[in-house]
Amino acid sequence: MNLLSVKPSYLALVVSSAIAFNASATNNKEIEHISIFGSEKNVNVIPGSAHVLSEKDLEKFDYSDIMRTLTSIPGVYVLEEDGYGLRPNIGMRGTGQNRSEKVTVMEDGVLAAPAPYAAPSAYYFPTSGRMQSIEVLKGTSSAMYGPRTTGGVVNFLSRQIPQEDLAGKFNLSLGQDGFKKVHAFVGGTGDNISSVVEAYRYQADGFKDINHSDRSTGFIKNDVMAKVKWNADSTADYYQELEVKVKYADEVSDETYMGLTAEDYKNNTYTRYSSSQLDEMTTEHKQLQLNHVIELSERFSLGTSAYYNDFSRNWYKTSKIGGKSLGSGGIELAADFDKNAAAGETLSFDVKANNRSYLAQGIQTVLDADFDAHQVKFGARYHEDEMDRFQWVDKYTLTSNYDVELNAAGIPGTDSNRIDSARSLALFVHDQFSVGGFIINAGLRYEDITVERDDWGKSDVARTGEAKYKKNSVDVVLPSVAFTYSVSEEFLVIGGVQKGFAPPAPGNEDSKNEESINYEFGFRYQDQVLNGEAILFLSDYDNMHGNCTASQNCDESNIGNQYNAGEVSVSGLEIKAGYEFALGSVLLPLDLSYTFTETEFENSFKSDFWGDVNSGDELPYVPEQQFQLTFGVVGDNWRSDLLVRYLGEMRTVAGQGAISTNESIDSRTIVDLAASYDIDNQQTVKFSVDNLLDEEYMASRTHGSIMVGKPRTMTVSYQYSF
């Protein structure tokens, strides 16, 4: 598929219609970031679960790991993998976390995943540490933001152009295990031209040691972003702004899918096997985004975004040991060889080059219309994406001295050689109006999607022959309705119902959609010192998808396939509360989040993805209980915050009743600490400790072995602002 050949009829419809994203000019005629909420104050009247992590919120702990950042939001589940958040696994309301495939991830209002339709389980995620704020929307309020509408949306808002003539910040952090971070930006606003440039680099040597090797287990990530904005004079008949955003990012990380046996987890927690020493991920990401907003009149404004994302990666990692996959005896062979290699003994292992390139592009536009009693949005988006898999396997031998010898170099394209592609047209209308004390939000979303696969197999590396072809086409209408009712100025009742949806992937033989009916009901309270929210939710699936990936320990012949689980029920309770009180001149803020979740497969089946499932079984990797409490002490020029995070026991295989030891992730409590001191108005020093109590814990078993969490890590920082 030629992604540059956008159909003229679709393009005309997109440009003449309107969009799914809020990009309106503010009263002082500055362009806002393409934001879900527009301003933080609007969150309080949104029906359904809606949260904003502001710049101040993000600066408290200054995490570079998005999964540590998002645990403050109820209904969000994270599954750790490498300890640094390099491969985020995020889910919402029981959707499953694998590679964040069930969450709509956006940056500045446009889809951020490399191929959100053709390959939802991707290995790119926006660099959260450079973001200025983060918006999270779940349930009925997320219906406008496809393609996946059951769980929710995470929208990252990048650095805004400073409103001053010249402003900026420089932040340097140093920590244990060779951790270093440099974050800086500079920019300013002129009469008609404004700009900002930002750079973010962080790295570490890693907290694991490879047996019998001095190779690194760390990473280096770079992310550079620049924006230039032009705005018309305020006296223009039609005020408008045009913003150009360009971004480049790359990564080299010595990460692996090889975890530990239960014995080595107990005795040698932070080690890796010598047969993982060649494992390395390299990535490169380029983005171009154009944002335009025009005020057509006092009642109408039109915002349009065009975007282009180019992402490539090669995860060169061990896939078989002694001819066995990692989850079928390979890990045990690696462990035994590291302990008992006799003179002259060797161990064969395969390293697969999981080489893939992605391309995604589209155009979206939204018309905000003020019809007095009705605030209406008309939206459209045309999108295309693709994933090109061109992979091979190299064969090695590990000697009894633990030296690596290449036996046979693979030929590119002889392991996987296919292109998955997709195109989509999405339209929606959303109306907000009042009836008595009720504010009603009614929406209708239509999406027309085609996903395709061209597979040349393992012998036609030149792609000269006829490819094996698959095609899935679907169109769907997704209604939603939600409300807020004002009992008083402080107290709101909220609720709603929507149809959830996710499209079938190219590897879904049955071409079945993921569909659900999602309900929520609760209340929200806010006054000067206390805010709280409690929401009951139910996601009633007619069919749930499971995407087979290497990270799920799928058999390599099934990787890329999508499986259907049929009827599934996910229900629960989300609580979020905050309270701030004064003790003399010191402020004491408290913040609490809690999530209770129940899951159930409602039919019995056999699957290469979930295994043998019986009706009544619970979903794997969804904890029943999770809880987080943050307690702060804030003075005039200093503050300290203590965070306590509890994650309940999880099962790793679908089942019910008591969880067997080898299919369980034990509950854990992790404590983080952060403190800062303002030297003056421009300089701040910070000290933080992740995992203050140095808890050793199991993060997951998804790769057929045990992956461990990050140990206690201390970091000091210096920040200068002007």
Side-chain angles (χ1 to χ4, degrees):
M1 182 179 71
N2 181 1
L3 288 178
L4 298 178
S5 59
V6 179
K7 295 182 179 180
S9 58
Y10 280 171
L11 188 57
L13 179 60
V14 169
V15 173
S16 60
S17 298
I19 64 173
F21 306 94
N22 178 11
S24 59
T26 59
N27 291 333
N28 61 359
K29 297 187 177 180
E30 69 182 64
I31 190 171
E32 285 192 335
H33 276 239
I34 299 182
S35 162
I36 293 174
F37 306 131
S39 67
E40 189 172 346
K41 184 178 180 181
N42 292 338
V43 175
N44 300 320
V45 297
I46 288 177
S49 178
H51 301 276
V52 172
L53 296 174
S54 67
E55 187 171 17
K56 289 183 178 180
D57 294 329
L58 298 177
E59 286 180 344
K60 286 180 187 176
F61 290 90
D62 199 22
Y63 290 130
S64 56
D65 182 349
I66 181 59
M67 293 193 288
R68 281 184 125 85
T69 301
L70 291 181
T71 55
S72 65
I73 297 174
V76 175
Y77 316 86
V78 300
L79 187 64
E80 293 183 36
E81 183 171 331
D82 54 79
Y84 293 104
L86 302 177
R87 315 282 179 263
N89 297 286
I90 299 167
M92 295 183 182
R93 293 186 171 175
T95 57
Q97 303 98 309
N98 182 39
R99 293 290 176 258
S100 308
E101 65 187 10
K102 297 294 189 71
V103 176
T104 297
V105 180
M106 303 188 297
E107 181 176 333
D108 292 337
V110 304
L111 295 174
Y117 288 84
S121 300
Y123 294 74
Y124 167 78
F125 205 86
T127 303
S128 62
R130 68 169 173 82
M131 300 302 167
Q132 188 160 337
S133 62
I134 301 173
E135 302 173 318
V136 180
L137 199 63
K138 303 189 300 292
T140 52
S141 299
S142 66
M144 290 185 288
Y145 307 96
R148 289 160 183 82
T149 62
T150 298
V153 179
V154 180
N155 185 33
F156 294 92
L157 299 178
S158 64
R159 176 67 48 191
Q160 296 187 37
I161 297 174
Q163 295 304 300
E164 300 84 0
D165 293 340
L166 183 67
K169 180 178 76 173
F170 172 81
N171 189 322
L172 173 64
S173 300
L174 300 173
Q176 288 180 282
D177 300 317
F179 181 82
K180 304 178 184 67
K181 181 178 72 176
V182 177
H183 180 202
F185 74 87
V186 62
T189 296
D191 292 336
N192 299 103
I193 301 294
S194 308
S195 63
V196 67
V197 177
E198 183 175 32
Y200 192 96
R201 175 188 173 99
Y202 66 119
Q203 64 189 77
D205 296 333
F207 57 87
K208 300 176 185 177
D209 295 314
I210 300 176
N211 294 337
H212 313 292
S213 173
D214 59 359
R215 290 178 184 260
S216 171
T217 61
F219 70 93
I220 298 174
K221 290 195 71 172
N222 299 293
D223 199 318
V224 180
M225 187 271 296
K227 294 179 181 179
V228 178
K229 182 184 72 176
W230 168 85
N231 60 272
D233 293 330
S234 58
T235 57
D237 292 337
Y238 300 99
Y239 180 79
Q240 56 184 317
E241 296 178 347
L242 175 66
E243 183 182 77
V244 180
K245 171 189 171 185
V246 294
K247 189 174 78 68
Y248 174 85
D250 61 33
E251 172 190 334
V252 177
S253 54
D254 301 310
E255 285 299 334
T256 183
Y257 275 169
M258 292 184 63
L260 298 171
T261 65
E263 179 184 359
D264 286 332
Y265 167 66
K266 180 179 179 181
N267 298 322
N268 304 290
T269 306
Y270 301 115
T271 60
R272 272 175 43 180
Y273 300 128
S274 56
S275 48
S276 74
Q277 60 186 281
L278 299 182
D279 291 12
E280 180 182 84
M281 165 82 92
T282 57
T283 75
E284 184 179 52
H285 179 254
K286 291 170 281 189
Q287 182 192 57
L288 173 65
Q289 183 174 341
L290 305 177
N291 302 321
H292 178 259
V293 62
I294 181 170
E295 292 184 345
L296 302 172
S297 69
E298 291 184 356
R299 292 181 178 269
F300 298 96
S301 66
L302 180 69
T304 303
S305 290
Y307 57 93
Y308 174 90
N309 279 296
D310 184 337
F311 177 67
S312 60
R313 61 93 155 178
N314 186 6
W315 197 344
Y316 191 66
K317 62 180 183 290
T318 301
S319 57
K320 287 186 177 180
I321 301 168
K324 296 184 178 182
S325 67
L326 302 186
S328 300
I331 293 293
E332 287 74 17
L333 288 176
D336 289 342
F337 190 81
D338 279 4
K339 295 172 186 173
N340 305 309
E345 185 180 1
T346 62
L347 180 68
S348 65
F349 65 101
D350 295 353
V351 182
K352 180 185 289 189
N354 284 269
N355 180 57
R356 306 176 195 176
S357 59
Y358 301 81
L359 198 60
Q361 60 186 4
I363 185 169
Q364 59 192 37
T365 186
V366 63
L367 179 69
D368 285 305
D370 179 2
F371 296 125
D372 293 328
H374 293 264
Q375 303 297 310
V376 184
K377 295 178 183 293
F378 301 95
R381 176 179 67 209
Y382 180 77
H383 174 92
E384 293 183 345
D385 63 46
E386 74 171 26
M387 175 191 67
D388 188 338
R389 296 168 61 107
F390 201 64
Q391 303 178 174
W392 65 94
V393 175
D394 294 332
K395 295 183 177 295
Y396 292 89
T397 294
L398 192 63
T399 71
S400 57
N401 294 324
Y402 302 100
D403 296 324
V404 174
E405 297 177 353
L406 177 64
N407 289 338
I411 299 173
T414 55
D415 180 74
S416 184
N417 182 13
R418 73 172 192 249
I419 295 177
D420 292 350
S421 58
R423 59 184 182 272
S424 166
L425 175 67
L427 306 170
F428 86 91
V429 59
H430 182 269
D431 183 15
Q432 178 176 299
F433 58 95
S434 299
V435 178
F438 288 89
I439 298 176
I440 308 296
N441 285 258
L444 192 66
R445 178 182 177 85
Y446 169 80
E447 193 147 7
D448 182 6
I449 302 166
T450 299
V451 291
E452 298 171 285
R453 171 175 290 177
D454 292 286
D455 193 339
W456 287 269
K458 298 182 178 182
S459 57
D460 186 7
V461 296
R463 297 179 175 176
T464 56
E466 184 175 352
K468 184 179 179 181
Y469 179 71
K470 293 181 182 179
K471 179 180 179 180
N472 292 336
S473 296
V474 61
D475 63 305
V476 64
V477 176
L478 304 171
S480 65
V481 62
F483 73 89
T484 63
Y485 177 74
S486 299
V487 178
S488 65
E489 288 188 8
E490 296 82 15
F491 189 81
L492 293 175
V493 178
I494 58 180
V497 59
Q498 70 163 131
K499 183 177 181 180
F501 168 78
N508 190 322
E509 293 284 358
D510 297 330
S511 302
K512 293 182 68 175
N513 302 335
E514 179 176 277
E515 294 188 359
S516 62
I517 303 297
N518 308 315
Y519 309 87
E520 60 184 347
F521 181 81
F523 70 86
R524 184 177 293 131
Y525 179 88
Q526 182 170 23
D527 60 23
Q528 295 297 318
V529 295
L530 175 65
N531 65 82
E533 176 181 284
I535 297 178
L536 292 165
F537 68 88
L538 168 64
S539 298
D540 188 5
Y541 288 85
D542 288 332
N543 181 51
M544 173 182 275
H545 284 162
N547 296 305
C548 206
T549 66
S551 65
Q552 294 287 83
N553 195 35
C554 279
D555 185 275
E556 63 177 29
S557 62
N558 297 323
I559 290 175
N561 292 341
Q562 188 179 75
Y563 298 96
N564 303 298
E567 297 181 357
V568 176
S569 174
V570 180
S571 60
L573 170 66
E574 300 169 354
I575 296 175
K576 177 78 169 173
Y579 181 70
E580 184 175 89
F581 59 96
L583 185 63
S585 61
V586 174
L587 295 178
L588 303 174
L590 286 169
D591 186 81
L592 165 73
S593 64
Y594 170 78
T595 307
F596 172 80
T597 311
E598 289 185 332
T599 66
E600 182 181 357
F601 288 101
E602 297 185 343
N603 56 293
S604 301
F605 61 94
K606 292 184 178 181
S607 165
D608 293 327
F609 180 76
W610 284 287
D612 293 347
V613 174
N614 297 310
S615 179
D617 282 356
E618 298 173 338
L619 271 67
Y621 288 106
V622 179
E624 185 178 76
Q625 313 264 358
Q626 57 183 28
F627 168 89
Q628 180 166 302
L629 175 67
T630 305
F631 174 71
V633 183
V634 183
D636 292 335
N637 61 344
W638 59 273
R639 75 173 295 151
S640 179
D641 293 277
L642 189 71
L643 182 152
V644 180
R645 181 187 306 113
Y646 170 80
L647 185 68
E649 182 186 35
M650 294 186 290
R651 62 176 70 248
T652 63
V653 177
Q656 50 190 299
I659 308 175
S660 63
T661 302
N662 62 346
E663 295 181 353
S664 170
I665 302 292
D666 291 340
S667 63
R668 61 178 181 262
T669 300
I670 304 298
V671 179
D672 292 346
L673 171 70
S676 64
Y677 176 76
D678 297 332
I679 299 172
D680 53 34
N681 291 333
Q682 293 180 297
Q683 300 180 86
T684 301
V685 290
K686 295 182 179 180
F687 173 74
S688 63
V689 186
D690 293 347
N691 195 358
L692 178 67
L693 303 182
D694 202 21
E695 178 83 3
E696 291 186 0
Y697 63 95
M698 185 186 304
S700 79
R701 296 179 184 263
T702 56
H703 309 111
S705 52
I706 296 172
M707 307 297 282
V708 302
K710 187 175 71 171
R712 180 168 53 217
T713 307
M714 290 180 281
T715 305
V716 293
S717 304
Y718 169 79
Q719 178 178 301
Y720 177 79
S721 303
F722 62 93

